[in-house]
Amino acid sequence: MKFVATPLIPALVLSLLGAGADARSQQPPGVREVNGASELLMRGKPFLALAGELGNSSAGTAAQADTILPRLAQMHFNTVLMPVAWAQVEPEEGRFDFSILDHWIDVARQQHLHLILLWFGSWKNAFSEYAPGWVLGDIRRFPRALSTDGLPLAILSPLGEETARCDSRAFAALMAHVRDRDEREQTVLMVQVENEVGYLGLGGRDRSIQADRLFESPVPTRLIAYLQGHRDQLSPELAARFKPSARTWKEMFGDYADEVFMAWHYGLFVSQVVEAGKAAYALPMYMNAQLPAPFERAGEYPSGGPYPRDQAVYRAAAPAIDFYAPDIYWPDFAQWVDRYRLIGNPVFVAEARPDVASWNALYTFGEARGFGFSPFGVDSLPVQTEHPQSGPSIGDVYDALDALKDTVLQAQQRRQIAALMLQASSPRPSQTIALGGYLFHAALSRAWPSGAPPTSGGGMMVIEERPNDFLIVGGGLTVTFLRDPDVDNRIAGIAEAEQIIRTGSGWATERVLNGDQTDQGRALLMDAHQLQIYRVRLYTYARRP
Ligand code: DGJ
């Protein structure tokens, strides 16, 4: 049958298409993984969160929004992680005040920024400073974790039933308020629930009478069943200790017992808070963690925090948590990102060092195919880089990523993107990316004539746009191009290289690169200190005529 266009059909198709788009625009934000790429969905479409977290004392007044948010927008951030303190929103029991948050939401909208809220409820960096005075002053109703010397710590016990009830009630009130105010606009994208939880103190676990009693009791069958059912997903450390036929925590988890016990109870507590919040407004909700340093003992770092090692315990206790995110302040950035990713978390770096953020951001979006990256304390960063020698700022990187965001999102899906970074102190002088049939071999640029490498290191993200055509975002590197021997034995060469810049909706060539800038056609010599976007066309030729 031949298709006959009647005026009705296009109208119907259009209205159906419109209905689809409409339905998508009503969807609340969500997080998912597709083809190994992590996606944060906004109105049904993937969104790259070029984010940064505020300092802890930067969002306690409404007026701070007026100065901080316009600066961050100017620095090319599109998302800001901001604390919302329980003490601020419920100063007296049952009396809620969201006026400060409301102003931040208004200013964020004016600045075209999104927000991720950090619920500083019962815990922030293990301690309970952000809980209201009426909670902290009543240690009978809201019990504290006890140290080995029997003294109450400045840490609410996760075993406090009233604490969990009141924290959940406050969080539910917050989420209901955000839904009423923001469901349509979707300025608020996600929520982090509590902050870097865990027991900090001697002995590695709460030593209250209640905790001791539970610690000597049989391990809950729900936890045992989950760990048995997910044996293949346990971390090697947990799997090596887990003895399902044992009875008590000590017998079942050996030298890990204190930590697993704390992880289970923090998990149960946070689960209650998350479920209450989601019942009001089901935004994606995640937990962050202070990562242990090498040789630290549980209690020196927050014992029972949501680390990759104990993630199965959290998944058993708190199935409503959407994912776990690392706060990476240690040098081995890439390994931590991979560890979180390999156990099934969408990649979102919740906190990172601001001073080395630039290359780590490229790695997160390019190599780990993450949806978001958020250095800490960004409101203290200068708007303009003060010393050009200190390398590109996170604002420079976000500026480039914003210009390329659609290309990056597509390339993440198609696995046509990769990234690497090299530190000036790196024990490895070079690294290689394999993409689109070529090897991109990168070494730190050498200044001419001194021969010194850039102190800020170097990094790059490579995107395959079309066969043989690549975009390279980076700086501080010299890149040579080889044919991937796994593809064929031809030889690679540079056909064209240029430095490009976004101009409105298009792109312009700033410089055609050749001569010294391509080492006479043999390499791409990036700017040693500044981030640039390069377009490179490669070709291959046979080894013999
Ligand atoms: C990690 C915490 O989560 C942040 O709130 C902040 O305290 C940083 N550490 C600063 O060191």
Side-chain angles (χ1 to χ4, degrees), residues 359 388 391-392 396 474-476 526-532 534:
W359 310 132
D396 297 334
M526 293 180 171
D527 192 302
H529 304 295
Q530 287 176 43
L531 189 94
Q532 303 288 357
Y534 303 94

Side-chain angles (χ1 to χ4, degrees), residues 53 56 124-125 195-196 327 329 351 376:
E53 179 166 332
N56 296 157
K124 191 282 178 186
N125 290 40
N195 188 80
E196 295 193 345
D327 294 350
Y329 291 89
E351 288 182 39
F376 178 77

Side-chain angles (χ1 to χ4, degrees), residues 434-439 464 468 470 482-492 540 543:
L435 190 70
Y438 294 93
L439 300 181
E464 182 186 3
N468 304 317
F470 298 89
L482 307 163
R483 187 63 171 164
D484 187 339
D486 288 340
V487 176
D488 57 39
N489 70 354
R490 292 169 72 82
I491 297 173
T540 62
R543 281 179 185 269

Side-chain angles (χ1 to χ4, degrees), residues 34 124 142 177 181 201 207 236 270 371 394-395 476:
V34 184
K124 191 282 178 186
F142 304 106
H177 183 80
R181 209 180 155 84
R207 301 284 166 154
V270 178
F371 71 72
I394 186 68

